Amino acid sequence: MPPRKRCPVARASLAVTAILYEHFEVDKSDLDDAKGYIALESKSNYEKIFRPLILQWSKLHIAGLQAFFRLWKATGANREDFVKIVELVRILLEAVVGGATRTKKVHEVEEEIQSFDYQRLRQLQMELFEITYEDTWGHHLRQVRDELNHEALQFVKEQRIRCLLAGAWFPTHPGHKPDAGRAPASQPSSSSSFRYAKLSHNRRYLHYADFESRGEHEEEEPEMDMLRENIDLSIVSSVSSNISANSVPSARSSSSTLRQQPASSASTKITIHRYLHAPPPPSSADYNSANAHSRNVSKSTAHAHKPSQSRAHNNSNSQSNSNSNSKREEVPLLTLYPATQSLASEWLDGLLMLLGQKPITAETTKLIDMVSGYGLKIRLLNVRFDERAEGGEGEVEVPSREGLDEDYYYDISGG
């Protein structure tokens, strides 16, 4: 074995001794002992004052030294990695010995030290690093998290709306299973088995039509001209569903367009409502001419129409909010039966965010957290561990990468 691969046994033994010395606070002064006697007046402080494992010093030292050898071998460490292994052993002993109660047997502590999983130990180490980052850059991290959460929300909002723009198939009856073959019905009928819905390119109308069966391939989607029915989203008053919401405040908000129903139904259902005495939607002739015009406009023109669309939506929201106390009667415009939970999450949250509301399903919330979390990790890659909020005291020497290959890891502990 090369000398640089050999474990320095004497240094390892001294390191374990120093770890135990610091853990049990052997250098504790007599004044601290007097404070300990005062703390004995409360029985709740017994666990902090009495630590009988210190009487088993030799057994703990042997168990810690064996753990040092095991980690050295498992990580393939070199002489240069000695400090890193010491830190791992320190975390291990603090977790096992520090977490042991005063009635725990020493052989149980020894077995736990020997059987402690390396991956779990690495996880504890990363959690400690996160705490260190939080203590050092806590204020800055909170600001970054707020910014990333907003960016992630806008990103997921666009993704959900694009799911609506892509269109999707829905059974017309709950519990219906898809079949093969395609035969679109020219007019909606009671025998229709499937409904195809799709958001218009200007994001103002929801098109849909009923079909007797789906196509042989899901890529064979109906053209927009085949979707003869449409809903003007400006007259939508609420979106109700039996999907469980993970955000109760947003589901119960008086200004929200969501009306949460108990999830007692056997199948998932999304229903779009409007007020009973709301102005009627535009006629088919007016809509077709407007739709034909929207297909020919350029992207810049489409962007130019967005502010007016936003104002129209805000006006409709303010009108619905002003009449919320009058309990106006609502009627359903369209009911969709998503076949999967993912499709239900995409369409429910897509409709809500399209109407200016917050998402409520757990799947969308998880996606927002994941995007925000990855964004934070990418930001932290640009932060060096040795930097401080009050930095600027001097540049840190960056080691040379000469002679290095791709098989390396980042020395985050600075050891």
Side-chain angles (χ1 to χ4, degrees):
M1 180 181 294
R4 60 190 301 267
K5 284 285 186 179
R6 299 173 186 173
C7 178
V9 178
R11 290 182 61 193
S13 178
L14 291 174
V16 174
T17 301
I19 293 172
L20 294 175
Y21 184 90
E22 295 174 3
H23 173 75
F24 289 110
E25 300 176 335
V26 177
D27 58 341
K28 199 173 185 180
S29 63
D30 295 337
L31 180 60
D32 292 332
D33 290 337
K35 294 180 180 178
Y37 289 124
I38 297 176
L40 288 176
E41 297 178 359
S42 176
K43 294 183 178 180
S44 61
N45 294 325
Y46 282 178
E47 294 290 342
K48 298 180 180 179
I49 300 302
F50 294 113
R51 292 184 287 182
L53 286 177
I54 193 175
L55 302 177
Q56 304 293 337
W57 183 286
S58 59
K59 293 184 178 181
L60 293 180
H61 181 272
I62 294 174
L65 189 58
Q66 290 176 345
F68 192 104
F69 297 154
R70 178 167 58 90
L71 291 173
W72 184 278
K73 183 177 180 180
T75 58
N78 300 325
R79 288 287 182 92
E80 295 79 5
D81 303 322
F82 180 83
V83 177
K84 300 181 181 66
I85 303 299
V86 171
E87 290 303 318
L88 288 176
V89 175
R90 185 189 306 276
I91 295 172
L92 173 62
L93 294 180
E94 289 290 343
V96 177
V97 180
T101 61
R102 60 190 179 93
T103 58
K104 194 170 186 177
K105 305 297 183 180
V106 65
H107 68 86
E108 297 177 356
V109 176
E110 291 177 302
E111 293 176 358
E112 188 174 352
I113 293 176
Q114 294 177 3
S115 61
F116 205 91
D117 185 55
Y118 172 70
Q119 297 298 329
R120 182 183 168 195
L121 183 60
R122 286 289 298 170
Q123 183 178 0
L124 288 177
Q125 186 182 33
M126 296 308 299
E127 290 176 358
L128 290 176
F129 281 144
E130 290 181 2
I131 295 175
T132 302
Y133 277 119
E134 187 69 30
D135 293 339
T136 307
W137 300 290
H139 176 68
H140 300 281
L141 285 178
R142 283 189 291 271
Q143 290 181 343
V144 172
R145 285 194 185 101
D146 292 340
E147 296 176 2
L148 292 175
N149 284 334
H150 178 72
E151 294 177 3
L153 179 61
Q154 297 302 317
F155 176 83
V156 175
K157 175 182 178 180
E158 183 64 23
Q159 186 272 337
R160 291 307 194 214
I161 293 178
R162 292 199 178 198
C163 291
L164 274 63
L165 290 169
W169 288 97
F170 301 90
T172 55
H173 305 288
H176 189 278
K177 295 183 180 181
D179 54 12
R182 176 172 182 173
S186 58
Q187 296 294 335
S189 63
S190 58
S191 61
S192 300
S193 299
F194 291 94
R195 175 172 293 158
Y196 187 82
K198 186 175 184 179
L199 184 66
S200 64
H201 298 293
N202 57 12
R203 307 186 181 190
R204 298 179 60 183
Y205 297 91
L206 184 64
H207 301 260
Y208 67 95
D210 292 345
F211 298 85
E212 292 181 359
S213 61
R214 297 177 57 173
E216 296 181 357
H217 304 284
E218 293 187 2
E219 289 78 6
E220 299 180 5
E221 299 175 349
E223 298 293 337
M224 190 68 77
D225 295 337
M226 301 173 64
L227 308 180
R228 302 185 181 279
E229 302 294 329
N230 64 83
I231 297 176
D232 186 355
L233 296 179
S234 64
I235 66 172
V236 173
S237 60
S238 65
V239 179
S240 63
S241 175
N242 57 5
I243 303 174
S244 299
N246 68 341
S247 179
V248 177
S250 64
R252 295 182 179 179
S253 175
S254 60
S255 62
S256 175
T257 58
L258 171 72
R259 296 193 303 120
Q260 189 68 22
Q261 296 178 352
S264 58
S265 177
S267 61
T268 305
K269 180 174 66 173
I270 301 174
T271 305
I272 302 174
H273 299 265
R274 72 171 178 88
Y275 289 120
L276 180 60
H277 301 292
S283 62
S284 299
D286 295 338
Y287 168 73
N288 290 334
S289 61
N291 189 34
H293 175 69
S294 64
R295 292 178 184 176
N296 297 327
V297 296
S298 62
K299 291 184 179 180
S300 60
T301 309
H303 284 292
H305 283 294
K306 286 185 178 180
S308 61
Q309 173 189 349
S310 177
R311 287 194 296 271
H313 177 63
N314 291 335
N315 293 335
S316 63
N317 280 342
S318 61
Q319 181 180 359
S320 62
N321 293 336
S322 62
N323 297 322
S324 60
N325 296 330
S326 60
K327 298 182 179 179
R328 298 170 61 183
E329 184 179 357
E330 292 181 318
V331 293
L333 290 173
L334 178 65
T335 300
L336 303 174
Y337 297 95
T340 62
Q341 290 295 329
S342 296
L343 184 62
S345 175
E346 291 172 357
W347 276 75
L348 176 59
D349 289 331
L351 288 170
L352 289 174
M353 290 190 281
L354 188 63
L355 298 174
Q357 303 302 317
K358 294 182 179 180
I360 66 158
T361 63
E363 185 172 335
T364 301
T365 303
K366 182 179 179 181
L367 182 59
I368 293 174
D369 294 340
M370 182 183 68
V371 174
S372 176
Y374 276 115
L376 180 60
K377 291 179 181 179
I378 293 174
R379 294 281 186 93
L380 290 179
L381 289 177
N382 298 324
V383 179
R384 291 177 297 189
F385 187 80
D386 291 334
E387 291 180 351
R388 295 293 185 268
E390 68 276 8
E393 299 177 356
E395 296 185 358
V396 180
E397 181 180 357
V398 179
S400 173
R401 291 183 50 81
E402 183 180 356
L404 295 180
D405 53 17
E406 296 181 355
D407 186 15
Y408 70 95
Y409 64 94
Y410 182 66
D411 183 12
I412 194 172
S413 62

